């Protein structure tokens, strides 16, 4: 098999050492060793430098090897030739933090990134370059794209951050999902793609480059997959010497105003990761592992301020279970199979109509297997190597030694217009994420003589994708006044509000206007509000509850925490987002300034300053649950565990966050409880001792483990019936 060789340095035991990094059809090869790599997307500007160490540490504890991030061009070059790499924009500091924690990094330079980020990451000043056409064989666009890409690469090289220099960056990306728009560019498309690949490779980073969703990525660039189910949809690398790479495995999905959040289960994510690995996948990135916050006006058109809150780490950086823990176990199980996966011969064995086994066997006899049940409606019993296995519906069981199950995937345009005539509000209208265009038609009464008509066109983020993006600077397009007596119309145009220009959301800017006490004047649309508050005690994340407001933007101590749009309800009449992240690093102990621009008629007196924490922990296991892979206990080691040694049995593990203890058992049932941690009730079989025993074992301490066994509870409430244990507890 042909190999493509790259010269790379890696960080080993804290010392930069030279090594060759190559890739072949099986995987990336680092320091001469084939690698299966689990990666997670954490975007540096969607959190704060103070949060980065904790986010990266939790990702590492969750079994990740790589942190992946986009590079945000319009953050770093907001005006042509004027660069900003400070604060949340300090990408060098972010990459160095990844290195300090012993992880690799993947740098997705783009520089078009989409990412539900305004204008897809492109700086808006590009739109005003005469004769430019984005993402095609256009001399002006290619000039600016190469100039910025080169700057980022040279910055990384100057800080010795590429693996070829002993740094953590092992992979880079050029362009982004170009396949989605390439039909619009006809014969220019292949020329542009060949140019982009050659330009990137010519920068001599010493690490491989990828193009995602680009089946014809030119050599030596690797084509990669994005999506929910790349184990089913990806046709594979375009050359046999390239590895299978999944650059975006969506852990949930972005949310737009007026739409319900998309929920993806831990079991579904794990199933498709295991399937991709079974089909020779070797690099999988979770998009997102931590989504974070679209501070300021950085969200794309109609995107809510919170980003991928259902990821393994939520918007505030708290661990989201069961996603985080389930994937951690998956990673550990796959790593137990590494030798067989990376150097064994793959064979596919039919086990039934909708069941099959992917088997990897080395010459030494070492063997690993993935038993797959594609039936989403029933449990399957299959024979594999003369042993009977029960596979839950739509699941994959991983057997690191082809005998013992270590893990199963199932267990566990203008966007808004406000219209005014003679200073009186007459109406508003808006589009949606799926249908951005709209029309506002109103019948109004004009005075004799001159009338003042004002139309405020409000952007809810620039578009982040699509062909010919340079033509999509959304805004007000057409105004018609239909009146037989209207003889002359003279229109003016102004960008931005006076309050923004005066920066009245800052302590210095406050002095530029006269403020009135709330309630002393008639409440009107387009009103600025301000107040001060003290930071809540403790270290829990802080959130601004804006449920009483309607639509606008909020600033805390001069920093925008994003746009809010409470009045745009989902089909179930819920606000798309009510709590808005205020990083602790934005706050002082006292007298924190909060300023809001309210476009409609919200009531600021209903705003609260809240803290976010894990207040409940829950566990649910059955007789068929496996012991944690990370515990070192395998299925054949199970015995009659006791209170001192619960690890050999299916066990509920409860653990509250730091500085909190289990204060109350909300539900406990050993028997046949119905439901799961989201909704539960006592079933037909239930041990009456459940709550008493668990309260004695768990209350007033931070963590406890309860084995699911008759011996532990002192009785068998229903002999001969498969039993479960479900416990829900409160942390305070």
């Amino acid at each position: 098999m042909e190999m493509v060789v790259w010269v790379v340095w890696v960080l080993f035991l804290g010392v930069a050492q030279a090594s060759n990094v190559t890739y072949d059809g099986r995987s990336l090869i680092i320091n001469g060793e084939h690698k299966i790599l689990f990666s997670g997307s954490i975007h540096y500007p969607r959190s704060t430098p103070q949060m980065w160490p904790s986010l990266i540490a939790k990702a590492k504890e969750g079994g990740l090897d790589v942190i992946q991030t986009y590079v945000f061009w319009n953050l770093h070059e907001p005006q042509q030739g004027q660069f900003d790499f400070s604060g949340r924009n300090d990408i060098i500091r972010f990459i160095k933090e990844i290195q300090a924690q012993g992880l690799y990094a993947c740098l997705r330079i783009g520089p078009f990134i989409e990412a539900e980020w305004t204008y897809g990451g492109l700086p808006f000043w590009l739109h005003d370059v005469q004769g430019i056409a984005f993402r095609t064989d256009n001399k002006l666009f290619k000039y600016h794209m190469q100039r910025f890409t080169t700057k980022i690469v040279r910055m990384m090289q100057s800080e010795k951050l590429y693996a070829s220099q002993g740094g953590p960056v092992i992979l880079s990306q050029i362009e982004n999902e170009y396949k989605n728009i390439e039909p619009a560019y006809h014969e220019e498309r292949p020329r542009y793609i060949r140019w982009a690949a050659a330009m990137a490779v010519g920068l001599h980073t010493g690490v491989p480059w990828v193009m995602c969703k680009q089946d014809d990525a030119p050599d030596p660039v690797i084509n990669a997959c994005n999506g929910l189910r790349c184990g089913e949809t990806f046709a594979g690398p375009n050359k046999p010497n390239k590895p299978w790479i999944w650059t975006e495995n969506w852990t949930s999905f972005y949310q737009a105003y007026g739409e319900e959040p998309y929920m993806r289960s831990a079991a579904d994510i794990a199933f498709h990761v295991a399937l991709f690995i079974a089909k020779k996948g070797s690099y999988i990135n979770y998009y997102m592992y931590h989504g974070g916050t679209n501070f300021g006006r950085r969200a794309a058109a109609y995107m809510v301020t919170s980003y991928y809150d259902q990821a393994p780490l939520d918007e505030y950086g708290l661990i989201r279970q069961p996603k985080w823990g389930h994937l951690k176990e998956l990673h550990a199980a796959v790593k137990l199979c590494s030798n067989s996966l990376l150097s064994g011969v793959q064979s596919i064995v039919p086990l039934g109509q909708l069941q099959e086994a992917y088997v990897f066997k080395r010459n030494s006899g070492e063997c690993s297997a993935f038993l797959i049940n594609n039936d989403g409606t029933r449990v399957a019993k299959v024979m594999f190597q003369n042993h009977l296995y029960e596979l839950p519906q739509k699941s994959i069981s991983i057997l690191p030694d082809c005998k013992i199950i270590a893990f199963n995937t199932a267990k566990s345009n203008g966007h808004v217009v406000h219209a005014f005539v003679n200073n009186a509000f007459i109406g508003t209208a808006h589009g949606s994420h799926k249908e951005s265009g709209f029309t506002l038609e109103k019948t109004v009464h004009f005075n004799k003589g001159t009338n003042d008509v004002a139309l405020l066109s409000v952007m809810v983020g620039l578009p982040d994708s699509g062909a010919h993006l340079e033509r999509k600077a959304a805004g007000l397009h057409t105004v018609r006044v239909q009146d037989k007596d209207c003889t002359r119309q003279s229109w003016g145009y102004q960008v931005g509000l006076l309050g923004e220009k005066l920066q009245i959301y800052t302590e210095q800017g406050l002095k530029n206007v006269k403020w009135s006490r709330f309630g002393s004047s008639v409440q009107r649309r387009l009103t600025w509000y301000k107040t001060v508050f003290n930071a809540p005690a403790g270290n829990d994340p802080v959130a601004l509850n804006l449920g009483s407001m309607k639509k606008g933007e909020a600033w805390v101590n001069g920093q925008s925490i994003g746009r809010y749009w409470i009045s745009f309800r989902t089909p179930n009449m819920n606000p798309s987002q009510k709590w808005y992240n205020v990083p602790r690093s934005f706050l002082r102990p006292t007298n924190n300034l909060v300023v809001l621009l309210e476009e409609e008629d919200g009531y600021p007196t209903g705003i609260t300053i809240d803290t976010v924490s894990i207040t409940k922990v829950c566990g649910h296991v059955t007789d068929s649950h496996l012991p944690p892979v990370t515990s070192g206990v395998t299925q054949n080691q199970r015995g009659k565990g006791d209170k001192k040694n619960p690890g050999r049995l299916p066990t509920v593990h409860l653990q509250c966050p730091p500085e909190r203890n289990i204060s109350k058992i909300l539900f406990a049932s050993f028997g046949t409880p119905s439901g799961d941690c989201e909704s539960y009730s006592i079933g037909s079989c239930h041990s009456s001792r459940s709550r008493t025993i668990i309260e004695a074992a768990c209350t007033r301490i931070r963590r406890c483990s309860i084995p699911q066994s008759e011996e532990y509870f002192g009785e068998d409430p229903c002999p001969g019936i498969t039993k479960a244990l479900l416990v829900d507890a409160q942390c305070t």
Side-chain angles (χ1 to χ4, degrees), residues 313-624:
L313 300 179
D314 70 12
E315 179 181 7
Y316 306 93
L318 301 175
I319 288 173
R320 183 175 292 285
Q321 298 284 24
K323 231 170 236 187
W324 183 89
H326 194 55
L327 295 178
K328 175 181 179 178
E329 287 292 298
L330 169 64
H331 303 152
V334 170
K335 290 300 178 74
L336 291 176
C337 306
S338 291
N339 290 340
S340 300
L341 286 170
L342 293 169
S343 59
V345 176
Q346 181 200 62
S347 61
I348 304 174
V349 181
L351 300 176
Q353 186 175 0
L354 293 173
Q355 295 78 36
E356 59 187 349
Y358 282 75
V359 184
F360 296 82
K361 194 167 185 178
R362 303 178 71 193
N363 292 334
S364 63
E366 188 175 352
C367 176
S368 297
F370 292 66
L371 309 187
I372 302 173
N373 180 13
N374 287 304
D375 192 332
T377 61
R378 68 178 185 89
V379 174
K381 294 184 177 180
V382 301
M383 290 295 296
F384 174 69
Q385 295 191 355
N386 299 319
H387 286 84
L388 181 65
Y389 295 89
E390 186 175 279
L391 306 179
Q393 61 192 42
K394 197 65 176 179
S395 74
I396 299 176
S397 288
I398 299 176
L399 289 64
D401 59 357
C402 280
K403 296 177 183 177
I404 307 300
I405 297 176
F407 179 86
N408 180 272
T409 59
K411 308 189 181 169
S412 184
N413 294 334
H415 303 138
V416 181
V417 166
H418 302 302
F420 301 81
V421 173
N422 296 324
N423 294 322
F425 174 75
I426 62 165
T428 188
H430 64 79
S432 68
H433 178 245
K434 294 180 179 178
E435 187 59 56
S436 60
F438 65 92
T439 301
L440 171 61
E441 292 185 0
K442 284 287 181 179
T443 300
V444 297
H445 297 284
F446 286 135
N447 300 325
K448 290 185 177 180
T450 301
N451 290 267
D452 182 28
V453 178
L455 300 172
L456 176 61
S457 176
V458 184
M459 300 300 297
V460 192
L462 292 167
D464 66 338
S465 60
H468 305 296
L469 196 59
E470 69 278 2
R471 306 176 189 174
K472 295 183 178 180
L476 193 63
H477 283 200
T478 305
V479 179
R480 284 199 305 270
V481 179
Q482 296 177 322
D483 187 291
K484 58 184 178 59
D485 297 323
C486 184
T487 57
R488 185 170 62 88
Q489 300 174 29
S490 177
W491 292 94
Y493 185 79
Q494 175 182 312
V495 177
L497 298 174
L498 178 60
E500 292 178 293
K501 292 182 178 180
L502 297 176
Q503 295 188 334
I504 65 173
Y505 48 82
T506 66
E507 291 183 337
Q508 186 64 31
L510 289 175
K511 304 171 185 176
N512 293 324
V513 295
K514 182 180 180 180
W515 295 83
S516 302
R517 177 173 287 280
F518 179 73
S520 63
S521 59
V522 178
Q523 190 176 14
R524 297 189 304 175
R525 290 174 178 260
L526 289 174
T527 300
W528 292 83
Y529 297 100
K530 74 177 179 75
T531 191
V532 294
F533 67 94
N534 295 336
N539 297 313
D540 287 335
V542 178
L544 207 60
N545 183 342
L546 297 178
S548 65
M549 304 305 286
K550 295 291 184 66
K551 183 180 182 299
E553 187 171 355
W555 290 261
V556 173
N557 291 332
Q559 302 211 53
S560 173
I561 62 170
R563 291 183 294 255
Y564 62 88
W565 200 350
I566 310 298
S567 61
F568 194 169
R569 301 281 170 151
T570 70
N572 292 330
M573 297 307 296
N574 297 314
S576 300
Q577 183 179 349
K578 187 167 70 171
W579 281 277
Y580 289 78
N581 182 23
V582 184
R584 285 271 180 183
S585 60
F586 285 15
L587 300 178
R588 323 182 261 263
T590 60
N591 291 318
N592 294 283
L593 173 68
V594 58
V595 177
L596 296 100
L597 169 60
E598 170 62 31
E599 298 175 26
E600 298 180 3
D601 56 356
Y603 268 85
T605 53
I607 295 172
T608 60
I609 310 298
D610 299 340
T611 57
V612 182
S613 62
I614 298 173
T615 58
K616 293 207 309 176
V617 289
C618 181
H620 184 202
V621 295
T622 67
D623 282 338
S624 60

